[in-house]
């Protein structure tokens, strides 16, 4: 079971990294969505199952996301509040194989980089995300 959670967490983080991988086009005004919304997405191919299993994510699984802006080229500090996004819970749809958020998250501007922190499984409240206890299983 620990290996399964590690694989799910690893997959979720890889998806996020692929979405926000360093690329000048991320901050190019001509490619930025008109709304300025940050688009985080990911999907997986798996058999459709009706309950949590060792085979992948299931409908209703949640992943928490924090987004922190850089300040004058320096990475920001992850905090409980005051981030670009704080513990936004993305929910998995097993029919469509996609993660969705309950709200839109917007860029500060077209040039400010961000750091995205994700964790699985998502929980409703984290007092101090920088001190959140986690275990990596091998």
């Amino acid at each position: 079971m620990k290996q399964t959670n590690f694989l799910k967490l690893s997959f979720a983080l890889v998806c996020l990294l692929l979405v926000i991988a360093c690329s000048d086009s991320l901050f190019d005004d001509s490619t930025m969505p008109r709304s300025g919304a940050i688009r985080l997405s990911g999907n997986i191919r798996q058999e459709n199952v009706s309950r949590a299993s060792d085979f992948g994510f299931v409908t209703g699984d949640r992943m928490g996301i924090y987004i922190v802006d850089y300040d004058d080229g320096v990475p920001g500090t992850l905090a409980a509040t005051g981030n670009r996004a704080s513990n936004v819970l993305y929910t998995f749809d097993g029919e469509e194989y996609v993660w969705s958020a309950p709200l839109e998250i917007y860029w500060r501007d077209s040039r400010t980089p961000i750091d995205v922190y994700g964790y699985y499984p998502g929980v409703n409240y984290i007092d101090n995300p920088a001190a959140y206890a986690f275990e990596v299983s091998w």
Side-chain angles (χ1 to χ4, degrees), residues 30-101:
S30 65
T31 62
M32 181 179 243
R34 211 174 263 280
S35 68
I38 296 173
R39 302 284 184 220
L40 299 178
S41 64
N43 58 51
I44 61 174
R45 289 185 163 261
Q46 66 181 34
E47 282 188 41
N48 193 9
V49 293
S50 61
R51 61 180 177 76
S53 70
D54 290 341
F55 301 108
F57 298 110
V58 296
T59 296
D61 278 356
R62 297 185 314 167
M63 174 175 47
I65 301 293
Y66 288 83
I67 298 177
V68 180
D69 290 322
Y70 277 50
D71 190 20
D72 291 326
V74 177
T77 302
L78 177 62
T81 61
N83 306 303
R84 172 83 24 215
S86 295
N87 201 30
V88 176
L89 294 173
Y90 280 68
T91 304
F92 186 70
D93 178 340
E95 295 293 320
E96 298 293 324
Y97 301 108
V98 297
W99 293 90
S100 60

Side-chain angles (χ1 to χ4, degrees), residues 5 14 43-44 54 56 98 107 109 116 137:
N5 286 339
V14 167
N43 58 51
I44 61 174
D54 290 341
V98 297
W107 294 94
D109 54 45
V116 177
S137 301

Side-chain angles (χ1 to χ4, degrees), residues 26-29 32-33 36-38 69-72 84 106-114:
L26 268 180
F27 304 105
D28 179 5
D29 291 329
M32 181 179 243
I38 296 173
D69 290 322
Y70 277 50
D71 190 20
D72 291 326
R84 172 83 24 215
Y106 296 90
W107 294 94
R108 178 194 299 174
D109 54 45
S110 64
R111 296 280 173 214
T112 302
I114 60 173

